[in-house]
């Protein structure tokens, strides 16, 4: 039993990729949990220390209690608490220093392993497919040659038998003989190519099953098993440092030890193998009848024998040449093989050295290297030479400054990001230190990186040095790097997004249907044109910032943002029906009134939720709603939204959708949720008029004037009377007289129930 035997089938291959994805996801989850634990333990330890300091202050002011037994007892309590705090801190430091790094390395290793496996698997199978195509290509040519040779032979023999015409036209006879000779020669050459190719294909097919695929699977299995051991070690480290102050710790620890003890690399993949075992794919049948025996192609009477190399006066030169070329190729491969064998021996020896060295120590209690009382606390920051800057967890790509400031909370929190100034890309270190400081990383003429002090080959080395040395980034700022801030789960990798097709056009760039890897999730992706000014890019991302706080079935859900590189993107749930406006115009006629009311109801539910969260949408309209499954409507396009109870526009009224906007917003630039209620009235009107344009035939200015004079849109044909009454209330000139969204929702629900 093992990968090599049981996982040769294509279903098993998919399953093997999926199980690796799942393992990587689990590891990432573990890493997040450990990070949270480290943070919580450090805070806990800090609280313990400050309690101890408080106790110290009390001691200095209580001379009278010298010798008091109850005071002594309390001192013991405080000391013990301080000791516990210190141990908790040490444990947290250990997790931050060693364990998190091990987990990160393990994740990288597993990702690399999966990649290599996928590529190799493709390569091996692609080769077989290529050979098969070659066989059939040559076979087709072979058939043509047999036919041509037979045909030219018949013609030549016919001409020969007609003696008199042969005498009359000797040149024609020569031509026919020549053609017969040429066609036969070509046939013999192709025959040989075919026999060689067939042999190669059959051998490759055999090697694939017996060596190539089993070897690949075996390697993968042993690498996965090794990773499992490391993983087990990492989890042991976490478990050993789990809060031992809690009540019932012993019992919990017993359970955890048991949970660890049952991890067994020999059994780990047994259930997986049992579930995903499959038969190897069907043999490819190369027992193809020879074209020589195919009488449909004409009767063949030459000297060729199926599957035999023909060596005769027609082919002798070619065969010799082929033989020479093959001999050279064999020599070449033999040299490669010997070289690989040497490499294999060298690596095996080095492996044996490492295994021997490791076997001499207890891996859970490695001897101390520094013989000093308190080793300097190293930090979780190390340079991994294989990681590009943009893969570092603390590199946040083109995340805008406002977002950066929100992430840096405690003194010493820091991250690295990218910005563009005067069309030049700059890498910036942002630190929370007496406010927020942003340092541009300087590049020396020798292409090294520095702030004020030493220069380094890579930005990673520079940052790790600043972190370890705890020296100020610049003397003037005094800023010290204590705590790297890692990317949030919203910050996705641009490379994980595979754009499939364009489905719309937004203000900032095109909108695509896309697949988000590794989960292969269908998503909608808004892209931001690369050449837009920074200000616009910030505006584009503000939609993502607002959406990430909301979770409601009638609000389009944010999956994440991609800011690692250009183009920046917002990734959202895919709402398959597209914009409500287009949907109404296209399919409105077939929708029953009940569905139209239920669409209004969906919008009201989404808007009531937004109002409860203090969000003003400012651009509510049918064009900005999306239609999902079962005609469910979701509010979208939060590009103009604001998270304030009241928002006063200061930057002019440029792109305001006049015909959807409430009078007080148009006159004084004053926005509240009551303005959204006005727009909601227009949205109801759009839904029941099946996507007509409001105030058609009136210019924006004219429409504004008429509204101020008391004009309101007339009732569309299909609108139920209570719904139109509600619409008119939404268009009350005085905002305070309009209903709130929860009331609107209740009223619509009532209408819906009675339809
Ligand atoms: P912008 O805010 O940049 O103007 P929109 O939100 O209006 O962009 O999107 C433009 C178009 O893209 C929409 O009209 C719709 O057809 C399509 N679209 C946007 N988001 C989604 C989504 N989540 N699912 C499906 N289609 C979408």
């Amino acid at each position: 039993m093992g990968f090599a035997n049981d996982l040769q089938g294509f279903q098993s291959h998919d399953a093997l990729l999926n199980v690796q994805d799942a393992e990587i996801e689990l590891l990432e989850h573990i890493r997040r949990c450990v990070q949270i634990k480290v943070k919580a333990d450090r805070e806990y330890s800090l609280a313990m220390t400050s309690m101890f300091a408080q106790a110290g202050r009390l001691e200095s002011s209580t001379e009278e209690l010298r010798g008091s037994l109850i005071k002594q007892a309390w001192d013991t309590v405080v000391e013990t608490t301080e000791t516990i705090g210190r141990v908790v801190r040490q444990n947290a430091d250990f997790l931050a220093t060693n364990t998190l790094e091990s987990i990160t390395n393990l994740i990288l290793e597993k990702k690399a392993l999966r990649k290599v496996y996928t590529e190799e698997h493709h390569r091996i199978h692609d080769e077989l497919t290529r050979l098969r195509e070659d066989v059939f290509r040559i076979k087709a040519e072979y058939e043509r040659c047999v036919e041509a040779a037979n045909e030219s032979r018949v013609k030549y023999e016919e001409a020969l038998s007609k003696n008199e015409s042969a005498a009359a036209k000797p040149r024609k006879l020569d031509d026919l003989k020549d053609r017969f000779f040429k066609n036969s020669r070509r046939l013999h050459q192709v025959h040989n190519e075919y026999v060689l190719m067939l042999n190669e294909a059959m051998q490759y097919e055999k090697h694939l099953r017996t060596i190539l695929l089993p070897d690949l699977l075996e390697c993968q299995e042993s690498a996965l098993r090794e990773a499992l051991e490391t993983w087990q070690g990492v989890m042991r480290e976490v478990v050993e440092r789990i809060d031992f102050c809690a009540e019932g710790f012993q019992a919990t620890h017993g359970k955890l030890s048991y949970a660890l003890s049952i991890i067994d690399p020999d059994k780990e993949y047994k259930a997986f193998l049992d579930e995903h075992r499959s038969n190897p794919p069907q043999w490819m049948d190369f027992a193809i009848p020879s074209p020589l025996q195919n009488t449909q192609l004409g009767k063949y009477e030459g000297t060729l024998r199926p599957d035999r190399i023909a060596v005769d006066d027609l082919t002798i030169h070619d065969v010799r040449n082929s033989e020479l070329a093959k001999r050279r190729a064999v020599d070449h491969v033999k040299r490669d093989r010997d070289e690989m064998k040497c490499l294999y021996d060298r690596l095996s020896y080095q492996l044996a050295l490492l295994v021997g060295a490791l076997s001499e120590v207890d891996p859970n209690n490695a001897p101390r290297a520094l013989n000093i009382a308190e080793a300097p606390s190293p930090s979780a920051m190390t340079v991994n030479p294989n990681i590009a800057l943009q893969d570092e967890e603390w590199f946040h790509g083109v995340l805008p400054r406002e977002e950066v400031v929100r992430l840096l909370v405690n003194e010493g929190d820091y991250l690295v990001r990218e910005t563009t100034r005067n069309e030049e890309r700059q890498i910036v270190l942002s630190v929370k230190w007496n406010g927020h400081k942003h340092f541009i990383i300087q590049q020396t003429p020798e292409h090294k990186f520095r702030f004020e002090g030493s220069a380094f080959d890579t930005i990673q080395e520079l940052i790790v040095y600043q972190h370890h040395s705890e020296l100020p980034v610049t003397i003037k700022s005094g800023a010290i790097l204590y705590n790297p801030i890692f990317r949030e789960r919203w910050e996705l990798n641009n490379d994980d997004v595979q754009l499939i097709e364009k489905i719309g056009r937004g203000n900032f760039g095109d909108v695509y249907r896309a697949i988000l890897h590794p989960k292969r999730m269908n998503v909608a992706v808004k892209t931001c044109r690369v050449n837009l000014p920074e200000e616009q890019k910030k505006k584009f991302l503000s939609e993502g910032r607002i959406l990430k706080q909301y979770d409601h079935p009638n609000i389009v859900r944010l999956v994440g943002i991609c800011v690692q590189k250009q183009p920046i993107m917002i990734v959202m749930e895919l709402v398959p029906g597209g914009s409500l406006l287009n949907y109404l115009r296209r399919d409105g006629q077939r929708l029953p009134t009940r569905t139209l009311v239920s669409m209004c109801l969906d919008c009201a539910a989404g808007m009531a939720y937004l109002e409860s969260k203090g969000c003003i949408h400012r651009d509510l309209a049918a064009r900005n709603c999306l239609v999902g499954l079962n005609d469910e409507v979701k509010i979208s396009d939060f590009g103009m939204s604001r998270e304030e109870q009241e928002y006063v526009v200061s930057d002019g009224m440029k792109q305001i959708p006049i015909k959807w906007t409430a009078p007080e917003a148009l006159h004084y630039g004053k926005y509240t949720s009551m303005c959204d209620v006005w727009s909601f009235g227009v949205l109801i009107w759009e839904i029941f008029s099946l996507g007509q344009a409001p105030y058609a035939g009136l210019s924006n200015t004219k429409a504004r004037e008429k509204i101020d004079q008391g004009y309101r849109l007339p009732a569309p044909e299909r609108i139920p009377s209570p719904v139109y009454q509600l619409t008119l209330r939404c268009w009350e000139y005085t905002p305070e007289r309009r209903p709130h969204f929860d009331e609107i929702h209740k009223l619509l629900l009532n209408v819906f129930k009675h339809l």
Side-chain angles (χ1 to χ4, degrees):
M1 191 183 83
F3 284 24
N5 279 334
D6 293 336
L7 299 185
Q8 287 196 19
F10 287 115
Q11 300 94 309
S12 313
H13 170 65
D14 286 345
L16 187 52
L17 290 180
N18 290 343
V19 80
Q20 293 186 66
D21 286 341
E23 285 184 350
I24 291 169
E25 199 180 334
L26 176 58
L27 267 171
E28 281 168 345
H29 172 73
I30 292 177
R31 180 169 61 184
R32 275 197 297 279
C33 291
V34 175
Q35 280 165 351
I36 292 169
K37 178 174 165 46
V38 167
K39 190 161 179 275
D41 281 357
R42 282 176 170 166
E43 282 165 7
Y44 172 72
S45 146
L46 212 63
M48 291 289 123
T49 318
S50 81
M51 183 173 141
F52 190 67
Q54 291 276 336
R57 272 204 293 283
L58 178 71
E59 192 176 36
S60 62
S61 64
T62 51
E63 274 296 307
E64 294 82 359
L65 291 178
R66 193 184 292 273
S68 154
L69 287 176
I70 200 149
K71 174 76 173 39
Q72 274 176 31
W74 174 242
D75 283 348
T76 314
V77 170
V78 171
E79 259 167 49
T80 318
T81 316
E82 198 270 341
T83 313
I84 292 171
R86 193 157 29 82
V87 176
V88 168
R89 169 82 201 188
Q90 280 165 358
N91 280 347
D93 286 349
F94 181 89
L95 288 177
T97 310
N98 298 348
T99 314
L100 277 176
E101 191 187 336
S102 307
I103 298 176
T104 303
N105 286 342
L106 197 55
I107 292 172
L108 291 172
E109 225 171 78
K110 285 185 85 70
K111 281 186 178 167
L113 196 62
R114 185 190 184 284
K115 184 161 176 271
V116 169
Y117 167 70
T118 320
E119 285 169 2
E120 281 299 292
H121 194 271
H122 273 141
R123 194 181 58 74
I124 293 174
H125 281 92
D126 284 355
E127 180 62 11
L128 183 67
T129 314
R130 187 188 66 73
L131 283 170
R132 189 169 188 277
E133 283 167 7
D134 282 354
V135 165
F136 281 95
R137 186 178 46 72
I138 297 186
K139 180 171 174 267
E141 189 173 358
Y142 192 2
E143 285 170 354
R144 278 195 298 278
C145 288
V146 172
E147 201 172 8
N150 288 342
E151 212 174 88
S152 52
R153 179 181 53 76
V154 170
K155 281 193 182 148
Y156 174 59
E157 282 172 2
E158 272 173 15
L160 252 186
S161 63
K162 293 179 190 163
N163 270 343
E164 69 285 57
S165 50
K169 294 180 182 165
R171 271 193 60 195
K172 190 176 174 214
L173 192 62
D174 281 351
D175 283 353
L176 290 172
K177 184 179 168 192
D178 206 28
R179 181 164 307 155
F180 170 46
F181 181 80
K182 272 189 192 147
N183 284 343
S184 300
R185 184 164 190 270
R186 179 74 195 129
L187 170 64
H188 284 227
Q189 285 168 341
V190 173
H191 164 89
N192 284 354
E193 275 176 37
Y194 180 69
V195 172
L196 289 174
M197 181 52 76
L198 210 55
N199 257 290
E200 189 183 350
M202 283 193 288
Q203 285 219 356
Y204 188 83
E205 164 81 4
K206 195 169 124 209
H207 286 156
L208 185 134
R209 273 151 211 289
T210 52
I211 300 170
L212 300 177
L213 201 51
D215 271 7
L216 176 64
L217 287 164
E218 203 175 298
C219 278
Q220 193 68 5
E221 181 173 11
S222 77
L224 283 177
R225 278 160 170 269
E226 274 163 25
L228 207 63
E229 278 168 22
T230 315
W231 195 342
Q232 188 180 16
V234 166
M235 282 177 60
R236 189 175 292 118
E237 284 175 12
V238 176
V239 167
E240 279 168 3
R241 281 156 189 86
I242 262 178
D243 185 5
F244 50 82
C245 314
E247 259 184 39
F249 172 73
Q250 294 297 334
T252 319
H253 193 265
K255 273 190 213 158
L256 292 167
S257 303
Y258 175 71
L260 281 187
S261 70
I262 59 173
I263 297 177
D264 178 357
D266 285 339
K267 293 186 190 150
E268 179 70 13
Y269 293 110
K270 185 177 175 311
F272 171 70
L273 279 170
D274 288 344
E275 192 182 340
H276 296 291
R277 178 171 292 123
S278 65
N279 292 326
Q282 291 273 309
W283 280 80
M284 272 190 198
D285 188 6
F286 286 107
I288 314 164
S290 165
L292 295 176
Q293 293 152 336
N294 184 350
T295 48
Q296 282 177 355
L297 304 173
K299 188 158 177 280
Y300 174 72
E301 290 180 351
T303 54
L304 291 177
R305 294 291 161 259
D307 307 334
R308 283 276 188 81
I309 298 277
V311 185
D312 48 37
D313 52 346
L314 298 176
T315 62
I316 184 76
H317 289 302
D318 293 334
V319 174
R320 281 232 178 92
N321 287 341
S322 297
E323 188 229 356
L324 208 63
K326 288 275 178 280
R327 190 178 294 284
R328 263 196 227 118
V330 167
D331 285 349
H332 188 74
V333 173
K334 182 170 169 296
R335 248 189 310 117
D336 280 355
R337 189 193 62 188
D338 292 346
E339 216 168 277
M340 290 306 271
K341 168 91 176 58
C342 295
L343 181 62
Y344 174 81
D345 288 348
R346 288 203 302 276
L347 288 175
S348 304
Y349 182 69
Q350 290 167 11
L351 177 66
L353 280 181
L354 292 170
V355 170
L358 275 174
S359 69
E360 285 168 15
V361 296
D362 173 0
N364 297 319
N365 192 14
R368 287 184 69 152
L370 301 180
N371 198 14
I372 45 177
E374 190 60 35
S377 156
S379 92
M381 295 287 291
T382 50
V383 181
N384 184 337
N386 298 323
I387 301 188
L389 176 64
Q390 74 177 46
D391 293 332
E392 292 287 359
E393 287 283 16
W394 39 261
F395 182 70
H396 291 247
V398 288
L399 195 67
R401 202 167 160 141
E402 290 74 11
E403 291 290 296
V404 169
V405 165
R406 195 179 53 76
L407 290 177
L408 303 177
V409 180
N410 298 316
E411 291 296 279
D413 282 358
Y414 69 92
L415 56 81
V416 176
R417 64 194 172 91
E418 185 184 322
T419 185
T420 313
R421 189 168 293 176
N422 301 333
E423 298 191 3
E424 198 187 321
R425 177 177 180 249
Q426 291 177 332
I427 305 293
V428 178
L429 166 72
S430 297
V431 192
K432 167 91 168 59
W433 197 266
N434 294 330
H436 290 93
K437 307 260 175 328
H438 306 274
F439 304 94
I440 293 169
I441 297 182
Q442 311 290 335
Q443 213 171 348
T444 66
E446 300 80 39
H447 300 292
K448 294 195 172 214
F449 301 93
R450 63 184 294 241
F451 294 109
E452 280 178 356
S454 325
F456 293 84
D457 287 343
T458 62
I459 291 176
Q460 288 97 309
E461 283 170 291
L462 172 65
I463 298 297
V464 170
Y465 166 77
Q466 284 299 146
H467 179 107
H468 278 296
S469 65
E470 298 195 357
L471 290 172
V473 180
T474 59
I475 307 231
K476 187 167 162 232
S477 71
I480 299 176
L481 309 188
Y482 284 137
N483 188 30
I485 298 298
F486 291 162
R487 289 202 287 269
E488 294 186 296
R489 81 184 158 92
W490 300 105
E491 292 176 61
L492 308 173
N493 241 331
N494 292 56
D495 293 339
D496 285 343
V497 175
Q498 182 189 355
L499 301 181
I500 304 291
E501 62 172 327
K502 186 172 151 182
I503 52 173
R505 204 184 151 77
N507 280 332
F508 299 91
D510 292 333
V511 183
Y512 291 86
R513 181 170 76 75
I515 293 179
L516 180 66
H517 294 283
K519 290 189 178 165
R520 305 207 186 146
M521 181 181 177
N522 275 315
V523 287
V525 172
K526 280 189 178 183
T527 57
C528 184
R529 279 190 296 281
V530 178
N531 50 6
L532 285 183
E534 283 303 295
E535 264 319 295
Q536 291 292 314
K537 286 183 180 158
K538 267 182 219 160
K539 267 196 187 151
F540 171 76
L541 278 181
S542 74
E543 181 170 12
R545 195 189 59 234
I546 288 179
L547 272 180
K548 82 177 162 198
Q549 313 162 67
Y550 302 144
D551 180 15
H552 188 276
N554 300 109
I555 304 291
V556 65
R557 191 170 59 78
L558 178 83
V559 177
I561 55 173
C562 300
V563 290
Q564 282 309 85
K565 54 186 176 185
Q566 303 287 0
I568 53 177
M569 303 187 268
I570 297 180
V571 181
M572 293 178 297
E573 69 170 309
L574 181 71
V575 190
S579 103
L580 172 61
L581 185 62
N582 289 341
Y583 189 75
L584 288 168
R585 288 180 178 171
R586 198 181 57 226
D587 295 328
Q589 290 298 347
R590 67 159 179 84
L591 299 175
T593 306
R594 201 178 150 76
T595 305
L596 299 179
V597 175
S598 122
M599 285 175 152
C600 298
L601 202 55
D602 286 344
C603 296
M607 290 308 296
Y609 175 80
L610 287 185
E611 190 181 351
S612 77
K613 297 273 173 190
C615 171
I616 319 171
H617 188 287
R618 299 211 307 148
D619 197 8
L620 182 61
R623 65 182 171 277
N624 290 331
C625 296
L626 298 166
V627 185
L629 297 176
N630 303 321
D631 299 322
E632 188 188 30
V633 179
K634 294 176 189 256
I635 313 283
S636 166
D637 204 344
F638 284 68
M640 283 175 59
S641 304
R642 293 291 179 281
E643 296 158 290
E644 284 160 61
Q645 294 298 333
E646 183 179 315
Y647 173 71
V648 180
V649 177
S650 52
D651 55 354
M653 283 281 196
K654 270 175 258 151
Q655 290 176 322
I656 300 293
I658 305 280
K659 290 180 177 175
W660 279 261
T661 304
E664 70 277 12
L666 294 177
H667 289 302
Y668 318 112
K670 183 181 149 197
Y671 281 91
T672 62
S673 284
M674 289 300 109
C675 298
D676 281 347
V677 170
W678 177 286
S679 315
F680 185 78
V682 185
L683 171 61
I684 297 186
W685 187 91
E686 287 183 282
I687 291 178
F688 284 98
S689 65
L690 309 181
Q692 280 184 34
Y695 314 98
L698 294 183
S699 68
N700 279 340
T701 323
K702 200 82 200 140
R704 226 172 131 168
E705 262 173 42
K706 286 195 77 173
I707 287 165
D708 284 343
Q709 289 158 10
Y711 172 80
R712 296 293 181 267
L713 286 164
E717 206 179 299
R718 294 181 53 187
I719 196 166
S721 165
V723 179
Y724 184 59
Q725 295 312 316
L726 173 65
T727 315
L728 291 176
R729 285 184 60 202
C730 295
W731 294 333
E732 281 283 355
Y733 201 81
T734 316
E736 293 74 33
R737 297 183 62 180
R738 294 171 208 153
H740 282 272
F741 277 111
D742 50 357
E743 188 190 345
I744 295 178
H745 185 259
K746 261 191 221 137
L747 287 168
L748 285 169
L749 192 61
N750 204 22
V751 175
F752 183 74
K753 279 186 191 155
H754 291 94
L755 276 175

